[in-house]
Amino acid sequence: KVSGKLFISPRAHIIMPYHKILDSLYEQVKDPAKKTGTTGRGIGPCYADKVSYNGLRIFDLLNPSQFEEKLITQLVLKNKIIAALGGEKLDKKAILAEFAGLREKIRPYVKETTQILQAEAKKHKNILFEGAQGIFLDVDFGTYPFVTASNVLSGQAVAGVGIPPQKIDRVMGIVKAYTT
């Protein structure tokens, strides 16, 4: 049971079906010796949309007409790229139907997470931030291009949550015995 324990920020970006397809197609067109080794989950293309002002967020999903309007624009762009790379174009109606069901499923969990975290920090509660992987996968300091789409250094933990860095009083790290 996660009610009252799980909260989703309305600013969270949504990995759309075209992100996963593009992730796979981008990898397929690369020389086999130069493949990135992506997980194919669409994280990189979703992050690219975020920084290029093309992302769809939970806030958009909760507003059906706004979501559809933004989706139409993105499908015009993404379907051209998908077709150019040999993939099959996506259908707007199918995506809208899929996300209509998801909208109502997640609606009860959408909360302003920044306010929740700031309130807990003021009470001196322990807050655990989990970051992706480690320094060698950081988009700026890692072994580029074999990295994840975001910054994963401990200082970045607060960037998306609205907690000031001076509130972090302990950083823990987990290290593998060898790099892969």
Side-chain angles (χ1 to χ4, degrees):
K1 297 185 179 193
V2 295
S3 182
K5 298 177 186 177
L6 173 68
F7 306 105
I8 303 170
S9 171
R11 291 179 305 281
H13 282 257
I14 303 169
I15 296 176
M16 299 297 295
Y18 50 78
H19 290 129
K20 295 177 182 182
I21 292 167
L22 289 169
D23 209 356
S24 176
L25 289 170
Y26 292 158
E27 194 76 350
Q28 287 175 27
V29 299
K30 293 178 183 174
D31 179 302
K34 296 182 180 179
K35 290 188 184 288
T36 308
T38 177
T39 62
R41 293 183 174 183
I43 296 167
C46 181
Y47 217 94
D49 275 0
K50 175 182 177 177
V51 298
S52 67
Y53 319 109
N54 286 300
L56 290 168
R57 302 182 304 166
I58 297 296
F59 179 82
D60 301 315
L61 179 62
L62 297 181
N63 181 330
S65 61
Q66 182 172 309
F67 182 76
E68 182 174 1
E69 181 182 326
K70 288 185 174 188
L71 177 65
I72 289 167
T73 300
Q74 290 311 303
L75 286 178
V76 168
L77 296 168
K78 302 306 191 280
N79 275 336
K80 287 180 181 179
I81 298 167
I82 290 169
L85 295 175
E88 290 188 32
K89 292 182 178 183
L90 293 169
D91 177 57
K92 175 188 83 166
K93 288 181 183 176
I95 294 172
L96 287 173
E98 175 186 357
F99 279 85
L102 294 173
R103 174 184 301 114
E104 297 315 314
K105 191 172 186 177
I106 69 162
R107 188 183 296 277
Y109 303 103
V110 179
K111 302 278 187 246
E112 186 48 66
T113 53
T114 299
Q115 292 172 351
I116 294 168
L117 291 169
Q118 286 178 349
E120 294 302 303
K122 283 181 183 176
K123 295 180 205 171
H124 303 287
K125 297 281 186 165
N126 289 324
I127 302 171
L128 176 65
F129 298 103
E130 184 269 334
Q133 300 91 22
I135 192 165
F136 289 131
L137 289 174
D138 185 88
V139 70
D140 290 321
F141 296 98
T143 51
Y144 190 88
F146 308 104
V147 296
T148 193
S150 61
N151 293 105
V152 300
L153 304 179
S154 59
Q156 289 299 116
V158 296
V161 298
I163 299 260
Q166 60 267 33
K167 294 288 184 185
I168 304 296
D169 59 10
R170 191 166 97 187
V171 175
M172 296 181 287
I174 299 170
V175 181
K176 290 171 40 175
Y178 58 92
T179 60
T180 54

